[in-house]
Amino acid sequence: MASGNHIFQALQTKAIHAGEKPDLATRASSPSIVMSSSFVTDAETPFSAENLQDQTTFFYTREGNPTVQQLEQKLAALEDAEACVAFSSGMAAISALMFHMLKPGDHMVMSDVAYVGAAELMKGLIPSLNIQVTRVNTTDLEAVQAAILPHTKLVHIETPCNPIVRLSDIQAIAEITHAAGAKLSVDSTFATPVATQPIKLGADFVIHSLSKYLCGHGDAIGGAVLGASDEMLAMRHLLIHLGGALSPFNAWLIMRGITTLPIRMKAHEDNALKVARFLEAQPQVKQVTYPGLATHPQHELAKRQMSNFSGMIAFQTKNPSAVAQAFSEHLQIVHYAVSLGHQRSLIYYISTQEMLETSFTFNQLQADNYRSFAGDGVFRLSVGLEDVEDICKDLERSITKA
Ligand SMILES: *Cc1c(COP(=O)(O)O)cnc(C)c1O
């Protein structure tokens, strides 16, 4: 951790200053991008990653880079984590954590609804390595408890989860997980450290897709895992061998994005609450799920666990295929596109049937719960930073063409 970080108490100050140091050679106030794959070394420098210790000197950018390190230190400060390892994408971060935590013969418990890439990894490659995966509705604490086995090593949750914005109780699940001698990882991409700091609530690992709110501008992909220093040293060895290193240029873009994260999240939340209320009043809209609405089935948990309700809304409409078609053809401000957390509003339709064929495996109770949020399909709306009246008018103009 950079010396002086104890001075940066508030999140807004950490977002701007943590990890950044004026350049020693030029005294530039802004961080410089070190676009170098190699670093000039002395003759005694060991060659193997096995000898990698503290990152005080640099050797090769896959093992560590000054710009990437600044981003890692900023993220660690924001999450109150001992250490952070950045990756080339959120999925590179998730897959590396799975390889770190799970060996053949181990068992993991995972939320039955999660980001599709993670759901598909845990459906295909991970079980093929003789690692057992149990999917549970992690809003149901008894189901989480019942899923734990003697060889459970990891519980992996996402809150709020992609795409239905359902929450899981981090503190309660951390207690169940730790009582079983396992570790808890929380994908906190939808929440961001502005809303929730999972490590303070007992999580062992926090995962972020930096491609979303942290970058915030839809122009760079990245990922991160945060946790205890010894675990993160092991993760760095894995990064060196699996190879998903973040480009220093992307690290710089993401770091620049993070400096405005607290004020952006406030604006995302303000806009999302207004858009959620607007959607609730539309005759074509059947159901709106947003943690900041009293109608969210877990609004009490949201108030306890999230100090910002973020900008993600899930909603159902009548005739969803026709509405999806109308949105893709007629929206002029909101982009009909995947991803989320950008300054631009983004919307995408996720069909329940398609998710069941490709990504999710439910028992009847789990399917019923998913359908209570998503019906036959759900629109995932990432409310951006445009004028909120303009966003609402754009949605209204397009939905009436369905
Ligand atoms: C997008 C996303 C990911 C994957 O991140 P990439 O950077 O696209 O690899 C993981 N988890 C959640 C919750 C996401 O929304």
Side-chain angles (χ1 to χ4, degrees), residues 88-92 94 114-115 118 158 160-162 187-190 207-212 221-223 339-340 380:
S88 56
S89 70
M91 278 311 300
I94 292 171
Y115 175 68
E158 217 176 272
C161 77
N162 194 347
D187 184 332
S188 196
T189 299
F190 271 35
I207 296 168
H208 283 290
S209 167
L210 304 176
S211 326
K212 313 295 171 55
I221 285 181
S339 202
L340 56 105
R380 183 184 67 190

Short mmCIF file of all heavy atoms in Angstrom, two decimals, residues 88-92 94 114-115 118 158 160-162 187-190 207-212 221-223 339-340 380, ligand 1:
data_model
loop_
_atom_site.label_atom_id
_atom_site.label_comp_id
_atom_site.label_asym_id
_atom_site.label_seq_id
_atom_site.Cartn_x
_atom_site.Cartn_y
_atom_site.Cartn_z
N SER A 88 -7.24 -9.19 -17.03
CA SER A 88 -7.64 -8.63 -18.32
C SER A 88 -9.15 -8.54 -18.50
O SER A 88 -9.62 -7.87 -19.41
CB SER A 88 -7.05 -9.47 -19.45
OG SER A 88 -7.47 -10.81 -19.28
N SER A 89 -9.93 -9.24 -17.67
CA SER A 89 -11.40 -9.15 -17.73
C SER A 89 -11.97 -9.69 -16.43
O SER A 89 -11.25 -10.34 -15.65
CB SER A 89 -11.94 -9.98 -18.91
OG SER A 89 -11.79 -11.36 -18.65
N GLY A 90 -13.24 -9.45 -16.22
CA GLY A 90 -13.91 -10.02 -15.05
C GLY A 90 -13.86 -11.54 -15.08
O GLY A 90 -13.64 -12.19 -14.05
N MET A 91 -14.06 -12.13 -16.25
CA MET A 91 -14.01 -13.59 -16.35
C MET A 91 -12.62 -14.14 -16.08
O MET A 91 -12.49 -15.23 -15.52
CB MET A 91 -14.52 -14.05 -17.73
CG MET A 91 -16.04 -14.11 -17.85
SD MET A 91 -16.89 -15.01 -16.50
CE MET A 91 -16.19 -16.64 -16.62
N ALA A 92 -11.57 -13.43 -16.49
CA ALA A 92 -10.21 -13.88 -16.16
C ALA A 92 -10.03 -13.88 -14.65
O ALA A 92 -9.39 -14.79 -14.09
CB ALA A 92 -9.17 -12.98 -16.83
N ILE A 94 -12.49 -14.25 -12.34
CA ILE A 94 -13.32 -15.32 -11.77
C ILE A 94 -12.66 -16.68 -12.01
O ILE A 94 -12.54 -17.50 -11.08
CB ILE A 94 -14.74 -15.29 -12.38
CG1 ILE A 94 -15.48 -14.03 -11.91
CG2 ILE A 94 -15.53 -16.55 -12.01
CD1 ILE A 94 -16.80 -13.78 -12.62
N ALA A 114 -26.39 -16.23 -11.81
CA ALA A 114 -25.14 -15.46 -11.77
C ALA A 114 -24.85 -15.01 -13.19
O ALA A 114 -25.50 -15.44 -14.15
CB ALA A 114 -24.00 -16.33 -11.24
N TYR A 115 -23.85 -14.14 -13.31
CA TYR A 115 -23.40 -13.71 -14.62
C TYR A 115 -23.24 -14.93 -15.54
O TYR A 115 -22.64 -15.93 -15.11
CB TYR A 115 -22.06 -12.95 -14.48
CG TYR A 115 -21.49 -12.59 -15.82
CD1 TYR A 115 -22.13 -11.65 -16.61
CD2 TYR A 115 -20.35 -13.19 -16.30
CE1 TYR A 115 -21.63 -11.33 -17.86
CE2 TYR A 115 -19.84 -12.88 -17.54
CZ TYR A 115 -20.49 -11.95 -18.32
OH TYR A 115 -20.01 -11.65 -19.56
N ALA A 118 -19.91 -16.85 -15.77
CA ALA A 118 -19.57 -17.62 -14.57
C ALA A 118 -20.47 -18.86 -14.48
O ALA A 118 -19.99 -19.96 -14.19
CB ALA A 118 -19.74 -16.75 -13.33
N GLU A 158 -23.28 -13.56 -5.96
CA GLU A 158 -23.26 -12.30 -6.69
C GLU A 158 -24.40 -11.47 -6.11
O GLU A 158 -25.53 -11.96 -6.05
CB GLU A 158 -23.60 -12.63 -8.15
CG GLU A 158 -22.88 -11.84 -9.19
CD GLU A 158 -23.25 -12.34 -10.58
OE1 GLU A 158 -22.59 -13.27 -11.08
OE2 GLU A 158 -24.19 -11.81 -11.16
N PRO A 160 -26.03 -7.29 -6.05
CA PRO A 160 -27.21 -7.83 -6.71
C PRO A 160 -26.78 -8.71 -7.89
O PRO A 160 -25.73 -8.44 -8.48
CB PRO A 160 -27.97 -6.60 -7.21
CG PRO A 160 -27.47 -5.46 -6.39
CD PRO A 160 -26.05 -5.80 -6.07
N CYS A 161 -27.59 -9.72 -8.23
CA CYS A 161 -27.13 -10.65 -9.26
C CYS A 161 -27.60 -10.24 -10.65
O CYS A 161 -28.64 -9.60 -10.81
CB CYS A 161 -27.50 -12.08 -8.91
SG CYS A 161 -29.22 -12.47 -9.19
N ASN A 162 -26.80 -10.61 -11.60
CA ASN A 162 -27.03 -10.37 -13.01
C ASN A 162 -27.82 -11.56 -13.55
O ASN A 162 -27.37 -12.69 -13.38
CB ASN A 162 -25.64 -10.28 -13.69
CG ASN A 162 -25.69 -9.70 -15.08
OD1 ASN A 162 -26.76 -9.58 -15.67
ND2 ASN A 162 -24.53 -9.37 -15.61
N ASP A 187 -19.09 -11.55 -5.98
CA ASP A 187 -18.99 -10.74 -7.18
C ASP A 187 -19.83 -9.49 -6.92
O ASP A 187 -21.06 -9.54 -6.87
CB ASP A 187 -19.50 -11.52 -8.39
CG ASP A 187 -19.34 -10.76 -9.70
OD1 ASP A 187 -19.36 -9.51 -9.67
OD2 ASP A 187 -19.22 -11.40 -10.76
N SER A 188 -19.14 -8.36 -6.75
CA SER A 188 -19.78 -7.12 -6.33
C SER A 188 -19.86 -6.10 -7.46
O SER A 188 -19.95 -4.90 -7.23
CB SER A 188 -19.00 -6.56 -5.13
OG SER A 188 -19.72 -5.58 -4.44
N THR A 189 -19.86 -6.62 -8.70
CA THR A 189 -19.84 -5.75 -9.88
C THR A 189 -21.03 -4.80 -9.92
O THR A 189 -20.88 -3.62 -10.23
CB THR A 189 -19.83 -6.63 -11.16
OG1 THR A 189 -18.65 -7.44 -11.14
CG2 THR A 189 -19.86 -5.80 -12.42
N PHE A 190 -22.26 -5.30 -9.61
CA PHE A 190 -23.45 -4.45 -9.67
C PHE A 190 -23.45 -3.42 -8.54
O PHE A 190 -24.02 -2.36 -8.68
CB PHE A 190 -24.73 -5.29 -9.56
CG PHE A 190 -25.28 -5.81 -10.86
CD1 PHE A 190 -24.44 -6.20 -11.89
CD2 PHE A 190 -26.65 -5.93 -11.06
CE1 PHE A 190 -24.95 -6.69 -13.10
CE2 PHE A 190 -27.17 -6.41 -12.25
CZ PHE A 190 -26.33 -6.80 -13.28
N ILE A 207 -14.83 -9.84 -6.05
CA ILE A 207 -14.54 -9.87 -7.48
C ILE A 207 -15.22 -8.67 -8.13
O ILE A 207 -16.36 -8.34 -7.79
CB ILE A 207 -15.10 -11.16 -8.11
CG1 ILE A 207 -14.39 -12.38 -7.51
CG2 ILE A 207 -14.98 -11.14 -9.62
CD1 ILE A 207 -15.06 -13.68 -7.85
N HIS A 208 -14.51 -8.05 -9.07
CA HIS A 208 -15.15 -7.01 -9.89
C HIS A 208 -14.88 -7.24 -11.36
O HIS A 208 -13.74 -7.56 -11.75
CB HIS A 208 -14.61 -5.61 -9.55
CG HIS A 208 -15.17 -5.07 -8.28
ND1 HIS A 208 -16.48 -4.67 -8.17
CD2 HIS A 208 -14.61 -4.87 -7.07
CE1 HIS A 208 -16.70 -4.25 -6.94
NE2 HIS A 208 -15.59 -4.35 -6.25
N SER A 209 -15.92 -7.07 -12.17
CA SER A 209 -15.68 -6.80 -13.58
C SER A 209 -15.43 -5.29 -13.64
O SER A 209 -16.35 -4.50 -13.40
CB SER A 209 -16.89 -7.16 -14.44
OG SER A 209 -16.71 -6.59 -15.72
N LEU A 210 -14.20 -4.91 -13.92
CA LEU A 210 -13.87 -3.47 -13.98
C LEU A 210 -14.45 -2.83 -15.23
O LEU A 210 -14.46 -1.61 -15.37
CB LEU A 210 -12.35 -3.29 -13.95
CG LEU A 210 -11.61 -3.92 -12.76
CD1 LEU A 210 -10.10 -3.76 -12.92
CD2 LEU A 210 -12.06 -3.30 -11.45
N SER A 211 -14.93 -3.69 -16.15
CA SER A 211 -15.51 -3.22 -17.41
C SER A 211 -16.81 -2.44 -17.20
O SER A 211 -17.28 -1.78 -18.12
CB SER A 211 -15.84 -4.42 -18.32
OG SER A 211 -14.90 -5.47 -18.15
N LYS A 212 -17.39 -2.51 -16.01
CA LYS A 212 -18.72 -1.96 -15.77
C LYS A 212 -18.60 -0.59 -15.08
O LYS A 212 -18.00 0.31 -15.63
CB LYS A 212 -19.54 -2.97 -14.97
CG LYS A 212 -19.46 -4.42 -15.52
CD LYS A 212 -20.06 -4.58 -16.91
CE LYS A 212 -19.79 -5.93 -17.55
NZ LYS A 212 -20.17 -7.11 -16.81
N ILE A 221 -12.00 -3.12 -20.89
CA ILE A 221 -12.40 -4.34 -20.18
C ILE A 221 -11.30 -4.69 -19.18
O ILE A 221 -10.11 -4.57 -19.49
CB ILE A 221 -12.66 -5.48 -21.19
CG1 ILE A 221 -14.00 -5.22 -21.89
CG2 ILE A 221 -12.67 -6.85 -20.53
CD1 ILE A 221 -14.38 -6.28 -22.91
N GLY A 222 -11.72 -5.09 -17.98
CA GLY A 222 -10.75 -5.50 -16.96
C GLY A 222 -11.47 -6.21 -15.84
O GLY A 222 -12.70 -6.24 -15.79
N GLY A 223 -10.69 -6.81 -14.94
CA GLY A 223 -11.28 -7.51 -13.80
C GLY A 223 -10.35 -7.45 -12.61
O GLY A 223 -9.17 -7.07 -12.76
N SER A 339 -23.61 -5.35 -21.69
CA SER A 339 -22.77 -4.66 -20.73
C SER A 339 -23.61 -3.66 -19.92
O SER A 339 -24.83 -3.54 -20.12
CB SER A 339 -21.56 -3.98 -21.36
OG SER A 339 -20.57 -3.80 -20.34
N LEU A 340 -22.95 -2.97 -19.01
CA LEU A 340 -23.67 -2.13 -18.04
C LEU A 340 -22.68 -1.23 -17.32
O LEU A 340 -21.47 -1.41 -17.45
CB LEU A 340 -24.40 -3.04 -17.02
CG LEU A 340 -23.52 -4.04 -16.26
CD1 LEU A 340 -23.28 -3.63 -14.83
CD2 LEU A 340 -24.14 -5.42 -16.29
N ARG A 380 -32.92 -5.98 -18.96
CA ARG A 380 -31.90 -5.50 -18.04
C ARG A 380 -31.52 -4.10 -18.50
O ARG A 380 -31.00 -3.94 -19.61
CB ARG A 380 -30.69 -6.44 -18.07
CG ARG A 380 -29.59 -6.05 -17.08
CD ARG A 380 -28.39 -6.96 -17.22
NE ARG A 380 -27.73 -6.76 -18.50
CZ ARG A 380 -26.76 -7.56 -18.98
NH1 ARG A 380 -26.37 -8.59 -18.30
NH2 ARG A 380 -26.22 -7.30 -20.15
C1 LIG B 1 -19.83 -8.43 -16.85
C2 LIG B 1 -19.80 -9.24 -15.62
C3 LIG B 1 -18.78 -10.18 -15.41
C4 LIG B 1 -17.74 -10.48 -16.45
O1 LIG B 1 -16.89 -9.42 -16.66
P1 LIG B 1 -16.04 -9.19 -18.01
O2 LIG B 1 -15.19 -8.03 -17.67
O3 LIG B 1 -17.04 -8.94 -19.10
O4 LIG B 1 -15.26 -10.45 -18.26
C5 LIG B 1 -18.77 -10.85 -14.21
N1 LIG B 1 -19.71 -10.64 -13.27
C6 LIG B 1 -20.71 -9.76 -13.45
C7 LIG B 1 -21.72 -9.58 -12.37
C8 LIG B 1 -20.79 -9.03 -14.62
O5 LIG B 1 -21.81 -8.17 -14.80
#
